[in-house]
Amino acid sequence: VHLVESGGGLVQPGDSLRLSCTPSGNIFSIKTMGWYRQAPGKERELLATISRDGNTDYADSVMGRFTISRDNPNPKAPAYLEMNSLQPDDTAVYYCNARSIWPDDPDYWGQGTQVTVSS
């Protein structure tokens, strides 16, 4: 599975941004897709996941501000992360993740997209 992210950039506090993650390759093996972020000097943080049947889960830190979506059950559909009320603490590299239905498969990661929130 190959993942390509897009949509990052420089925004001001209070702005919104939507990230996209487009899967390719063995897309029929994807069980869940998710978004993580990693700020400088910090560990990678799980933000949100969406399952093949559309169930979503969020970290407390982004609940109510970020929304993950995907046009299930289309296996080719991108996953999106809609981010609202962005603050400087949201500045990080954002990564897309996909997990396989097969337990022995590795996690798949995108290359990351930079989001910078600054006035």
Side-chain angles (χ1 to χ4, degrees):
V1 175
H2 184 60
L3 304 172
V4 177
E5 301 118 333
S6 62
L10 172 64
V11 297
Q12 294 187 338
D15 284 353
S16 297
L17 203 60
R18 188 177 80 158
L19 306 181
S20 300
C21 174
T22 302
S24 61
N26 191 12
I27 55 176
F28 294 97
S29 71
I30 295 174
K31 179 180 180 181
T32 64
M33 293 186 72
W35 287 95
Y36 289 68
R37 69 185 177 190
Q38 188 165 19
K42 294 187 178 181
E43 293 187 354
R44 192 169 293 191
E45 173 190 16
L46 172 62
L47 302 176
T49 59
I50 185 165
S51 68
R52 181 182 280 186
D53 55 5
N55 290 324
T56 58
D57 197 15
Y58 295 92
D60 289 344
S61 60
V62 301
M63 180 81 73
R65 287 195 306 129
F66 290 9
T67 302
I68 189 170
S69 63
R70 189 176 182 217
D71 185 19
N72 290 308
N74 181 359
K76 297 182 181 180
Y80 300 101
L81 186 68
E82 185 77 33
M83 305 184 292
N84 298 314
S85 301
L86 285 165
Q87 298 301 319
D89 284 350
D90 294 313
T91 295
V93 178
Y94 285 69
Y95 295 93
C96 179
N97 167 273
R99 290 191 170 173
S100 171
I101 59 174
W102 308 111
D104 290 339
D105 283 355
D107 277 10
Y108 301 100
W109 295 93
Q111 80 284 0
T113 185
Q114 177 70 46
V115 173
T116 302
V117 185
S118 175
S119 55

